[in-house]
Amino acid sequence: MFQSALSILQNKNNNIIIHEKAEENKEKKNEKDEKTKKKETKVERESNNKIEFYIQKGTVKNTLRSTRNWISKLEVFRKSHGYDIPIEMVTDTQVLQKQIVEYIASMKRLNGQEYKANTLKVALDSINRYLIKESKIHGVNLHNRYEFPEIHDVLHGKMKDLQERGLGEIHGSQALNTEQVQHILNHESMSIITPENLLYRIFFRMAIIFACRGGEHYHIKADQLQRREDKGFNFIRYSAKNNQRGINRGNAQIIPIPADHLGTFGPCYDFQLYLSKRPIGSDENLYLQVNPKWQESGIWFKKNHYGSNKLSKFMKKICQRTHVSIPENFLSNHSGRKTATQILHDNDIPEQTIMEITGHRSIQGVRAYKKTNEHQKMMGISSLLSLYDPDPHLSSSQEILSTNEINSSNTSQEIQSINFSHEFQSTDSSQEDNSNNIGKENQNKMPIFSNCNFSNVTFNFK
């Protein structure tokens, strides 16, 4: 009896142990599954992060910003007109066209002023770009004038109306002339003796020499300036607005800067000095913040770089510091690019070479920057004045006579300058008559071109 009770107790304990082990194994399995799940989640999260990173990398930020801006304005307009569903949820092309047309026809700034004509087209481009990606209508394209004829007609008509009212002209940034560039570089506030002056000088050098776009400065990295063995520099532009690389391929643009002349302190000296003043471990961006305690510490710059908003005002500040008189409305960082292109044009640099410096992809893009400078305009006007500005005191008959006399005089001088004459001899006269006529120079000597017709004759002018 006792043995039987003991056996039952042992079996019960064994069952408990077995149950506990089973529970323990179950917990371990659950814990292992949880770790596996967490591990899979981490891998998936890392993969998703990579995918998102590359999507963002392939997106042009300015384009994305413009698209969001115009879509938000469109939605504000639609809500104020009683349209509840988002624009991308509209499934009827006629309804979509009606709403877009209403928006284009009523487009104005918040203060009630009209947009420039080109702004309307930019707005439609942005809306179309958004709908191509997000719209429920497959293959929608607002630029298809056969599918959306009213959009095309209203846009064309409103742009034409704005242009006729003087709202079609684009007043972009203004270029500096050669004298202004030299004045800025020679100004005391652009010297290299303080970190702030050196920073502005480097910015100005970069803007002019490499024809940088306005927003490009923020993305320039220090390693894009590479020193060569001959003490010159190469500037490597890996990508640009019209060279996004990626699937579109394209090569990095390499712009060589020749070494400074012996005994001079040119751009290469400035670049080398600035790079040597950058502290170890600083941000990769080129333009670092000035250290306000540089005199005490000897460290000219902080490790942090300037933001885009701060950099966007650099060209205006440079012109203010050097007292260059250009209206602020026509001055921006993009002025450096216009200045470079204009100076290259003025010096008759071939358009292909200009393209390789500025990074333009077409000759039309380069020519859009080309403008006649003031000296060229003055020369052109002077040539017109010399032709069409007769003396008002002369009568018309006197004017004609005077002109004929001048032309006759000029013709005579030209013939004399040829230094080529001919003694006229009659073929019907005897030798004796010819000898007697030799002394009568005034009667027998005639210009070679008098009463002559020439054919297949070549003259050599001295």
Side-chain angles (χ1 to χ4, degrees):
M1 185 73 179
F2 176 77
Q3 184 68 30
S4 177
L6 182 62
S7 177
I8 292 172
L9 183 61
Q10 287 177 347
N11 290 336
K12 185 177 180 180
N13 290 336
N14 289 338
N15 289 336
I16 292 173
I17 292 171
I18 292 172
H19 180 72
E20 287 177 350
K21 285 186 176 181
E23 287 295 326
E24 185 179 348
N25 290 336
K26 186 177 181 180
E27 288 179 1
K28 287 181 179 180
K29 185 176 183 302
N30 290 338
E31 186 177 347
K32 185 178 180 180
D33 291 343
E34 188 68 25
K35 287 181 178 180
T36 303
K37 186 177 180 181
K38 285 183 178 179
K39 187 177 180 180
E40 290 176 352
T41 304
K42 183 180 179 182
V43 171
E44 185 179 352
R45 186 168 57 251
E46 289 177 351
S47 176
N48 290 337
N49 289 340
K50 285 183 179 180
I51 292 171
E52 184 64 24
F53 170 78
Y54 291 126
I55 290 174
Q56 294 297 326
K57 191 73 174 178
T59 302
V60 181
K61 291 181 174 56
N62 287 342
T63 303
L64 182 63
R65 191 180 301 114
S66 176
T67 302
R68 288 174 176 171
N69 176 46
W70 287 111
I71 288 297
S72 64
K73 290 181 179 179
L74 172 62
E75 290 300 336
V76 169
F77 169 81
R78 293 177 70 253
K79 287 180 181 178
S80 67
H81 283 68
Y83 301 113
D84 296 329
I85 64 171
I87 189 70
E88 66 271 14
M89 301 301 293
V90 177
T91 56
D92 189 320
T93 56
Q94 294 304 313
V95 174
L96 178 64
Q97 178 171 243
K98 179 176 179 294
Q99 295 180 18
I100 300 296
V101 164
E102 289 177 354
Y103 178 58
I104 293 173
S106 61
M107 275 181 65
K108 285 189 177 181
R109 300 178 187 271
L110 292 176
N111 57 8
Q113 293 182 352
E114 296 277 13
Y115 284 109
K116 292 290 185 71
N118 191 57
T119 305
L120 271 66
K121 188 176 184 306
V122 172
L124 185 65
D125 290 344
S126 298
I127 295 169
N128 185 63
R129 192 162 48 239
Y130 177 79
L131 292 178
I132 287 173
K133 184 178 179 181
E134 304 292 343
S135 178
K136 295 296 182 182
I137 304 174
H138 179 70
V140 65
N141 182 8
L142 301 181
H143 294 312
N144 188 333
R145 59 184 300 179
Y146 300 104
E147 186 178 4
F148 299 100
E150 197 173 347
I151 291 179
H152 176 272
D153 293 342
V154 171
L155 177 66
H156 177 66
K158 184 164 184 178
M159 289 182 66
K160 193 173 180 180
D161 176 61
L162 292 171
Q163 290 162 351
E164 289 174 352
R165 289 191 280 143
L167 294 171
E169 308 307 317
I170 300 175
H171 302 291
S173 55
Q174 183 173 324
L176 303 168
N177 58 40
T178 305
E179 291 75 18
Q180 289 170 328
V181 171
Q182 293 174 344
H183 169 80
I184 289 172
L185 289 173
N186 293 328
H187 198 272
E188 59 182 0
S189 67
M190 297 288 286
S191 64
I192 59 175
I193 60 175
T194 69
E196 187 176 29
N197 290 359
L198 177 60
L199 180 69
Y200 281 122
R201 188 176 184 85
I202 293 299
F203 180 92
F204 191 73
R205 292 276 201 198
M206 296 291 294
I208 302 299
I209 297 175
F210 305 121
C212 293
R213 293 175 176 86
E216 187 178 353
H217 288 277
Y218 176 72
H219 300 287
I220 296 176
K221 305 297 189 290
D223 62 3
Q224 289 179 244
L225 278 172
Q226 298 182 1
R227 199 178 193 195
R228 300 193 307 270
E229 292 183 359
D230 64 353
K231 297 184 180 180
F233 272 87
N234 285 338
F235 175 67
I236 304 176
R237 185 180 275 127
Y238 293 106
S239 63
K241 178 183 176 181
N242 54 2
N243 183 20
Q244 294 293 324
R245 309 294 293 277
I247 294 176
N248 298 324
R249 298 184 181 181
N251 298 319
Q253 181 189 4
I254 301 177
I255 305 175
I257 314 172
D260 299 337
H261 294 296
L262 188 64
T264 63
F265 301 92
C268 292
Y269 180 86
D270 294 343
F271 290 140
Q272 183 60 28
L273 176 62
Y274 176 74
L275 293 175
S276 69
K277 295 293 185 179
R278 289 170 54 88
I280 298 174
S282 58
D283 291 345
E284 60 181 1
N285 296 61
L286 179 64
Y287 303 109
L288 299 180
Q289 298 178 21
V290 173
N291 180 16
K293 299 180 180 179
W294 67 275
Q295 289 179 311
E296 295 88 343
S297 64
I299 300 174
W300 281 35
F301 301 100
K302 297 180 180 180
K303 294 183 178 182
N304 302 325
H305 64 276
Y306 280 111
S308 57
N309 291 336
K310 191 80 172 179
L311 282 175
S312 66
K313 302 173 183 176
F314 263 39
M315 188 62 76
K316 288 185 178 180
K317 284 194 173 184
I318 288 172
C319 289
Q320 289 171 356
R321 289 159 61 92
T322 57
H323 309 292
V324 172
S325 57
I326 293 180
E328 288 194 7
N329 294 339
F330 297 98
L331 197 61
S332 69
N333 288 353
H334 202 78
S335 296
R337 183 171 178 81
K338 283 197 170 182
T339 301
T341 310
Q342 185 63 51
I343 291 176
L344 291 170
H345 271 303
D346 292 346
N347 285 277
D348 298 323
I349 302 299
E351 289 178 330
Q352 183 61 37
T353 304
I354 297 177
M355 289 171 60
E356 292 178 4
I357 294 173
T358 62
H360 283 98
R361 298 295 292 272
S362 67
I363 291 178
Q364 288 75 16
V366 173
R367 289 175 180 173
Y369 285 82
K370 185 176 182 180
K371 288 186 177 180
T372 305
N373 59 39
E374 292 301 316
H375 176 70
Q376 291 168 334
K377 288 179 183 178
M378 292 290 287
M379 291 293 290
I381 295 298
S382 297
S383 64
L384 292 174
L385 292 176
S386 65
L387 292 173
Y388 300 106
D389 191 20
D391 189 341
H393 300 292
L394 293 175
S395 64
S396 58
S397 60
Q398 288 175 323
E399 182 182 331
I400 295 172
L401 179 61
S402 176
T403 304
N404 289 338
E405 289 175 353
I406 293 172
N407 290 338
S408 176
S409 174
N410 289 340
T411 304
S412 176
Q413 291 176 1
E414 290 170 2
I415 292 174
Q416 289 177 10
S417 67
I418 295 174
N419 194 24
F420 187 48
S421 61
H422 175 70
E423 289 186 358
F424 176 76
Q425 296 179 357
S426 174
T427 57
D428 296 331
S429 300
S430 63
Q431 186 71 24
E432 184 181 355
D433 292 335
N434 289 339
S435 62
N436 291 333
N437 289 335
I438 291 175
K440 302 177 180 179
E441 295 180 358
N442 292 334
Q443 296 178 5
N444 294 337
K445 214 173 226 188
M446 297 181 63
I448 190 171
F449 299 124
S450 178
N451 297 325
C452 296
N453 295 321
F454 296 96
S455 177
N456 296 327
V457 177
T458 301
F459 296 101
N460 295 320
F461 299 107
K462 295 182 179 180

